[in-house]
Amino acid sequence: MAPGLFITFEGIDGAGKSSHIAPLAAAWRAQGRCVTLTREPGGTPLAEKLRALLLHDDMDALTEALLVFAARRDHLRCVIEPALARGDVVLCDRFTDATFAYQGAGRGFDTQVLSYLERIAQTGLALEPDLMRNPDLTLWFDLAPDVAAARLADARSPDRFEALDTAFFHRVAQGYAARAASAPQRFARIDAAQPQAQVWQQLTAVLVQRGWLADGAGVVPAMSVPGATL
């Protein structure tokens, strides 16, 4: 059995990451791999309830962080860890990097507290009892906040985060850049300002280079506006 792979997709709202997840799953399934598609916050019935609160109810940054990590703990326990133990490829729309980017850089919340919550929520769920679960690879869709905002302008009514000003998303983008700089072996930067076909080529090239995906696998996804993710 092939070992499980945990791959996350990160970027500010409007970066286009969500439109690539299903086509990438199809490419892996065509190669005979089992794939689990999921998202954060969310992925389990409990975590989806917490997601609704996070996106629509007013709260401070600490409350946001506690709810995010509570949802993540349940998500890891019920979905991600069992899938990895089966040998699945797990494709997750956002994970802990989003918390450091949104609540940490965006909200200005203490990153040391976030690191403490990360250790608590993400340790002791894998087969290795002391493992703190992190992705094997993070695909970071890097896009200027002004461009991302223009893409989402006519999509639908914004949620609590999408309604924040551009300055907030500039801070979030800087938070992602800092996370990528701190873990260059895990992050792969995708230039999300490029046309859809070129974005697809960038991300598949990363996976081919690592030996995880066959060269030329999959088709270019149809252009769509990404859905709301925290």
Side-chain angles (χ1 to χ4, degrees):
M1 183 179 69
L5 284 175
F6 183 25
I7 299 173
T8 56
F9 293 69
E10 295 284 359
I12 63 174
D13 294 287
K17 59 184 174 50
S18 301
S19 61
H20 290 82
I21 297 177
L24 191 57
W28 252 304
R29 286 169 179 149
Q31 295 182 192
R33 291 296 300 262
C34 293
V35 181
T36 293
L37 293 178
T38 191
R39 69 174 182 178
E40 288 213 350
T44 70
L46 172 60
E48 290 292 333
K49 293 175 183 176
L50 297 177
R51 174 190 178 89
L53 296 174
L54 285 159
L55 293 183
H56 302 294
D57 288 19
D58 198 22
M59 62 189 73
D60 71 1
L62 175 57
T63 305
E64 285 179 6
L66 292 170
L67 289 180
V68 165
F69 278 111
R72 183 163 297 131
R73 177 82 180 182
D74 193 61
H75 189 204
L76 282 163
R77 184 178 64 87
C78 297
V79 174
I80 295 174
E81 292 298 344
L84 292 174
R86 293 193 302 267
D88 287 12
V89 176
V90 177
L91 303 181
C92 188
D93 191 344
R94 299 201 191 283
F95 194 63
T96 307
D97 296 304
T99 308
F100 281 85
Y102 277 76
Q103 279 71 45
R107 294 290 197 203
F109 189 68
D110 189 338
T111 56
Q112 289 188 338
V113 175
L114 294 180
S115 295
Y116 174 69
L117 294 173
E118 178 186 26
R119 289 193 299 274
I120 292 175
Q122 294 169 217
T123 302
L125 295 171
L127 296 177
E128 304 90 338
D130 296 328
L131 174 69
M132 186 178 80
R133 175 64 68 188
N134 272 304
D136 297 301
L137 172 67
T138 296
L139 296 164
W140 169 37
F141 285 66
D142 187 18
L143 186 67
D146 294 340
V147 177
R151 287 183 179 180
L152 288 176
D154 300 322
R156 50 178 162 62
S157 297
D159 62 39
R160 189 168 66 90
F161 287 87
E162 293 170 337
L164 293 170
D165 59 23
T166 306
F168 173 81
F169 286 101
H170 276 286
R171 294 193 299 273
V172 172
Q174 291 167 1
Y176 274 124
R179 291 286 287 181
S182 71
Q185 73 287 351
R186 175 167 65 83
F187 269 79
R189 178 185 176 274
I190 305 298
D191 182 357
Q194 297 298 313
Q196 187 87 342
Q198 293 181 24
V199 172
W200 176 253
Q201 289 169 0
Q202 289 178 70
L203 71 91
T204 53
V206 170
L207 300 169
V208 169
Q209 184 179 27
R210 293 185 178 226
W212 295 344
L213 191 69
D215 198 1
V219 296
V220 179
M223 186 62 186
S224 61
V225 175
T229 49
L230 183 58

